[in-house]
Amino acid sequence: MNKSELSGIALIIVSFVLIVYFGYNNYQEKNRLKNDKLELTSQIEHLQQTIEKNNQIIADNEQSKRELENQSTEWQEQINEQLKNNDCANQLVPVSVSNSLYNRAKNLRQPTDTSKSIK
């Protein structure tokens, strides 16, 4: 065999080795990416479940708050009805006490904002 035939064979062998090398690396990278994709998909599903649970907790808390607001209103109406003809109820209450009670009731009755739930 002459020198050019040997270089051609060497070139073919080197090309084959490179093709096998890059093919194997590509196969390994493809498997790694496939595993990463499965792991990320699993994490996304887990996060979606967590979001759904948190949204349900938020909705339950808002419902409880509305129920407490309604209960507070009912109690206030009952108190007002019972004190309607009571002389003691017509006496002035110190400003600091009335402000404190007013602010407490105001905070309890603030509307709930459901637009801020997690999506």
Side-chain angles (χ1 to χ4, degrees):
M1 286 191 202
N2 64 24
K3 200 173 191 182
S4 67
E5 288 176 348
L6 286 176
S7 350
I9 292 173
L11 182 61
I12 291 172
I13 291 172
V14 168
S15 297
F16 178 76
V17 168
L18 287 175
I19 289 171
V20 169
Y21 173 77
F22 287 117
Y24 180 74
N25 281 344
N26 187 32
Y27 172 77
Q28 292 290 356
E29 184 67 13
K30 182 179 176 183
N31 283 341
R32 187 188 65 76
L33 291 173
K34 185 178 178 181
N35 290 339
D36 288 351
K37 180 183 174 184
L38 288 173
E39 183 179 335
L40 289 173
T41 301
S42 173
Q43 290 176 354
I44 288 170
E45 288 173 359
H46 177 71
L47 288 173
Q48 287 174 332
Q49 291 172 356
T50 302
I51 288 169
E52 288 174 10
K53 288 177 188 175
N54 288 343
N55 282 340
Q56 184 60 50
I57 290 169
I58 290 168
D60 291 345
N61 286 344
E62 289 174 350
Q63 178 64 30
S64 294
K65 184 175 180 180
R66 282 189 294 274
E67 289 171 2
L68 288 172
E69 289 168 355
N70 292 338
Q71 187 179 42
S72 173
T73 302
E74 288 174 18
W75 287 350
Q76 185 60 48
E77 290 171 358
Q78 290 175 5
I79 290 170
N80 290 343
E81 183 63 31
Q82 292 173 0
L83 296 177
K84 187 168 41 176
N85 296 321
N86 186 321
D87 290 336
C88 182
N90 293 326
Q91 293 181 6
L92 293 178
V93 175
V95 174
S96 62
V97 174
S98 66
N99 285 342
S100 175
L101 291 172
Y102 172 78
N103 288 331
R104 174 90 170 118
K106 182 180 170 185
N107 289 336
L108 289 174
R109 292 186 182 131
Q110 285 180 343
T112 56
D113 186 2
T114 59
S115 66
K116 294 182 182 178
S117 63
I118 300 172
K119 295 187 179 180

